[in-house]
């Protein structure tokens, strides 16, 4: 890897991590305040609609973003064609969902969802105006600008939602938060990116990009359904209050799992794309990437599950304690989500996007089977079933990645295994403190500090090259 590419990748990764850390801090603080002000049911109402917004965004992008990033020589016509396509699709989708809102409301058994949905789905149209600008910045690996835009829009929308919650607007504070994030982010991207479209649609560009992106769209669509299907289906089976517990537990899990993948996935995908023509360097970079993610993912996700009770008790309050067990199971699912997503990136990188469709369809079928069997026993049982289905899915992805590129499942498990084992030992050693300490603040502080110390020294003893490089980089920065 050239020194210039290494520097760009390191800078991109640093800004990406900064962005995700900043976002999660804002989300965390905002979530604490709003969760204490609103009812559990409010979160269930908005969360049960997430599947429609997510699916619409996938149909909107149609895999074009990844296709544009992957393409070596992207033209203005390519960007402009995709931009026009995005706008047209977003309007069509909003019209469909606008008239479908009463049917959605009837299924979920909550009449107010019709008006909530019709306003919330405006996010789809707003989002369509910013996709190309984000893609251009990612392709340039300019994550500094992305960080500025995302943190600024999130901070302003957070203040607005808190104000509305304090004024008693209830569920509408959550709706306004999502709409304002999309609007502010779009405006800032247009200001900071300096790209403007025209009205010329290139059929040639569309056909070229769609040939690759169509399979990615299908795969992403299936993956999105798998991700958000639970919140929607649970809304039809259980009271919105209980669904709210799931939504909040899943939100806390995603603050870690999705942030870890996004921080590493976006920046490293651009870097790995530049190494497609050198299989040996690509493999070295891939193994290092997987090891780095494992070094972060295992202790964070397993540790989050360990401290779920004192964390929830101290932050969003006692009324949310029924979410503890749900969050612990979701943290296990989160680990598999991270590594499934990273393997999916490797498969996309190979150009064999048709494989993604097959894999995502397999994942969806497994999820549906476990859901239908387990949901009758309650939400917790359904989430355990989901964790098992994701474990099986990860095994399938391992096998597929090994076939597509020279990276065997044994090598991958070796790259991540050390960090999984150390994290597991850490959890076993720290669990007894739950019995010894009654005070939630002392319990949380003790487990976090001892966990960090144990993990660091255990990796030092085991000679972790990833930790050594991180420490060395920090020391050099100080010098």
């Amino acid at each position: 890897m050239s020194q210039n590419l290494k520097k760009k990748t390191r800078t991109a990764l640093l800004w990406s991590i900064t962005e995700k850390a900043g976002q999660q801090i804002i989300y965390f603080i905002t979530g604490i305040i709003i969760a204490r002000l609103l009812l559990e049911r409010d979160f269930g109402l908005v969360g049960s609609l997430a599947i429609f917004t997510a699916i619409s965004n996938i149909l909107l992008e149609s895999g074009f973003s990844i296709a544009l990033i992957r393409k070596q020589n992207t033209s203005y016509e390519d960007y402009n064609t995709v931009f026009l396509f995005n706008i047209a699709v977003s309007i069509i989708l909003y019209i469909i969902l606008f008239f479908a809102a009463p049917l959605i409301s009837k299924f979920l058994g909550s009449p107010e969802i019709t008006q909530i949905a019709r306003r919330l789905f405006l996010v789809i149209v707003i989002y369509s105006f910013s996709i190309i600008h984000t893609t251009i910045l990612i392709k340039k690996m300019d994550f500094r600008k992305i960080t500025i835009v995302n943190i600024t829009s999130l901070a302003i929308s957070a203040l607005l939602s808190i104000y509305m919650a304090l004024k008693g607007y209830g569920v509408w504070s959550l709706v306004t938060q999502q709409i304002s994030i999309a609007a502010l982010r779009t405006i800032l991207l247009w200001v900071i990116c300096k790209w403007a479209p025209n009205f010329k649609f290139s059929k040639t560009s569309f056909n070229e990009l769609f040939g690759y992106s169509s399979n990615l769209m299908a795969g992403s669509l299936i993956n999105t359904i798998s991700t958000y299907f639970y919140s929607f289906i649970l809304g039809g089976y259980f009271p919105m209050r209980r669904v709210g517990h799931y939504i909040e537990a899943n939100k806390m899990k995603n603050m870690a799992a999705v942030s870890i993948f996004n921080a590493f996935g976006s920046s490293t995908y651009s870097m790995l794309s530049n190494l497609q023509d050198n299989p040996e360097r690509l493999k070295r970079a891939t193994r290092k990437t997987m090891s780095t993610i494992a070094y972060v993912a295992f202790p964070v996700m397993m540790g989050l599950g360990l401290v779920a009770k004192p964390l929830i008790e101290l932050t969003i309050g006692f009324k949310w304690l029924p979410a503890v067990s749900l969050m612990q199971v979701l943290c296990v699912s989160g680990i598999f989500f991270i590594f499934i997503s990273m393997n999916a990136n490797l498969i996309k990188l190979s150009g064999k996007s048709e494989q993604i469709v097959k894999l995502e369809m397999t994942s969806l079928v497994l999820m549906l089977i476990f859901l239908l069997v387990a949901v009758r026993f309650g939400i917790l049982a359904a989430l355990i079933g989901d964790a098992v289905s994701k474990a099986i899915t990860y095994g399938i992805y391992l096998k597929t990645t090994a076939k597509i590129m020279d990276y065997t499942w044994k090598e991958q498990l070796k790259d991540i295994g050390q960090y999984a084992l150390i994290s597991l030992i850490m959890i076993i050693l720290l669990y007894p403190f739950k019995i010894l300490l009654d005070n939630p603040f002392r319990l949380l502080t003790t487990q976090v500090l001892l966990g960090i110390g144990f993990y660091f020294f255990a990796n030092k003893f085991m000679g972790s090259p990833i930790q050594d490089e991180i420490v060395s980089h920090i020391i050099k920065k100080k010098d």
Side-chain angles (χ1 to χ4, degrees):
M1 190 188 299
S2 68
Q3 290 299 317
N4 184 49
L5 183 57
K6 278 186 177 181
K7 184 177 179 180
K8 286 183 70 175
T9 302
R10 189 180 294 117
T11 302
L13 184 58
L14 179 61
W15 277 108
S16 186
I17 292 173
T18 301
E19 177 206 345
K20 301 311 172 186
Q23 282 185 321
Q24 295 316 316
I25 290 171
I26 296 172
Y27 270 126
F28 188 65
I29 296 173
T30 307
I32 290 173
I33 298 171
I34 293 181
R36 289 178 175 271
L37 294 171
L38 303 184
L39 301 174
E40 299 101 305
R41 187 174 185 273
D42 294 332
F43 290 87
L45 290 170
V46 174
S48 61
L49 295 172
I51 186 171
F52 298 101
T53 305
I55 289 175
S56 297
N57 287 340
I58 295 300
L59 293 173
L60 193 59
E61 289 194 34
S62 302
F64 283 131
S65 291
I66 293 177
L68 288 169
I69 293 170
R70 183 178 180 274
K71 188 176 180 182
Q72 295 296 318
N73 298 306
T74 312
S75 66
Y76 175 85
E77 287 73 21
D78 292 332
Y79 289 128
N80 193 70
T81 298
V82 174
F83 177 83
L84 295 176
F85 174 81
N86 290 340
I87 302 301
V89 172
S90 71
I91 294 172
I92 293 170
L93 287 170
Y94 180 75
I95 293 172
I96 292 172
L97 289 171
F98 181 91
F99 289 105
L103 296 176
I104 298 170
S105 179
K106 185 177 180 180
F107 173 80
L108 295 173
S110 301
E112 65 265 51
I113 279 184
T114 298
Q115 294 305 315
I116 293 173
R118 286 174 171 174
R119 287 162 176 77
L120 185 62
F121 294 154
L122 286 170
V123 170
I124 299 166
V125 179
I126 298 170
Y127 173 65
S128 67
F129 283 86
S130 66
I131 295 174
I132 289 301
H133 297 77
T134 303
T135 301
I136 291 172
L137 293 177
I138 291 176
K139 191 171 179 66
K140 291 179 179 178
M141 297 182 75
D142 194 347
F143 287 88
R144 181 183 68 86
K145 290 181 180 178
I146 295 176
T147 300
I148 293 170
V149 168
N150 288 342
I151 295 297
T152 302
S153 58
L154 181 58
I156 296 172
S157 64
L159 292 173
L160 178 60
S161 64
I162 291 172
Y163 173 80
M164 291 185 67
L166 287 169
K167 290 295 182 178
Y169 284 93
V171 68
W172 294 106
S173 60
L174 297 175
V175 175
T176 303
Q177 182 182 26
Q178 294 195 33
I179 294 175
S180 60
I181 288 175
L184 288 166
R185 187 174 183 275
T186 299
I187 293 170
L188 291 172
L189 280 169
W190 275 69
V191 171
I192 206 168
C193 185
K194 306 297 184 184
W195 181 88
N198 60 36
F199 294 98
K200 294 180 180 179
F201 184 89
S202 172
K203 193 173 181 181
T204 302
S205 290
F206 180 83
N207 290 335
E208 180 185 353
L209 292 167
F210 192 73
Y212 173 77
S213 66
S214 57
N215 285 320
L216 293 181
M217 178 189 69
S220 297
L221 184 61
I222 297 168
N223 176 265
T224 300
I225 293 172
S226 301
T227 303
Y228 292 94
F229 195 67
Y230 268 78
S231 57
F232 180 65
I233 293 300
L234 293 178
Y237 273 88
F238 302 100
M240 279 297 168
R241 179 176 175 274
R242 190 60 174 148
V243 177
H245 293 147
Y246 162 75
I247 296 297
E248 199 64 16
N250 195 49
K251 186 190 301 181
M252 284 196 163
K253 179 267 292 183
N254 283 338
M255 288 173 76
V258 176
S259 294
I260 290 171
F261 170 67
N262 286 343
F264 288 95
S266 297
S267 55
T268 57
Y269 186 82
S270 299
M271 176 268 291
L272 294 173
S273 296
N274 291 310
L275 300 176
Q276 294 176 75
D277 298 329
N278 193 323
E280 186 177 340
R281 290 171 65 194
L282 176 61
K283 182 176 180 179
R284 286 201 305 269
T286 298
R287 296 194 67 174
K288 184 176 180 180
T289 298
M290 295 298 283
S291 295
T292 304
I293 293 173
Y295 175 82
V296 176
F298 280 109
V300 170
M301 296 309 301
M302 294 173 74
L304 188 60
L306 175 70
V307 302
K309 186 176 184 298
L311 180 64
I312 288 177
E313 191 174 342
L314 288 169
T315 54
I316 56 179
F318 290 99
K319 68 180 181 182
W320 291 99
L321 285 179
V324 170
S325 58
L326 305 183
M327 181 175 162
Q328 290 170 333
V329 176
L330 285 167
C331 284
V332 177
S333 298
I335 293 173
F336 290 114
F337 159 79
I338 292 169
F339 290 103
I340 288 171
S341 300
M342 287 306 300
N343 277 272
N345 266 4
L346 295 177
I347 296 168
K348 291 173 187 175
L349 197 66
S350 71
K352 302 193 178 202
S353 55
E354 70 280 357
Q355 287 289 338
I356 295 294
V357 180
K358 296 177 183 178
L359 289 167
E360 295 294 356
M361 182 60 73
T362 302
S363 174
L364 179 60
V365 170
L366 283 170
M367 185 271 288
L368 288 174
I369 291 173
F370 280 95
L371 174 61
L372 292 174
V373 171
V375 73
R376 67 189 67 182
F377 300 105
I379 291 182
L380 183 61
L383 297 185
I384 292 173
D386 182 54
V388 174
S389 71
K390 278 187 170 55
I392 298 171
T393 299
Y394 175 55
I396 297 171
Y397 267 85
L398 275 176
K399 186 177 179 181
T400 306
T401 302
K403 286 182 179 179
I404 289 177
M405 62 183 296
D406 184 26
Y407 187 29
T408 68
W409 65 269
K410 289 183 179 179
E411 289 175 324
Q412 186 168 157
L413 291 180
K414 181 181 178 182
D415 291 336
I416 70 175
Q418 171 181 327
Y419 307 108
L421 179 60
I422 293 175
S423 299
L424 180 60
I425 295 172
M426 176 187 75
I427 296 302
I428 293 172
L429 293 175
L430 294 176
Y431 184 82
F433 285 94
K434 180 180 179 180
I435 303 170
L436 299 173
L437 297 174
D438 293 329
N439 184 287
F441 178 77
R442 291 180 182 176
L443 176 60
L444 179 64
T445 305
T446 301
Q447 289 181 322
V448 169
L449 293 179
L450 289 179
I452 293 173
F454 173 83
Y455 190 73
F456 178 82
F457 286 108
N459 274 290
K460 188 174 180 62
F461 177 77
M462 297 287 288
S464 166
I466 299 300
Q467 180 168 286
D468 290 343
E469 183 172 334
I470 292 172
V471 172
S472 176
H473 181 68
I474 293 173
I475 293 174
K476 286 181 180 179
K477 281 287 184 181
K478 289 182 178 180
D479 294 339

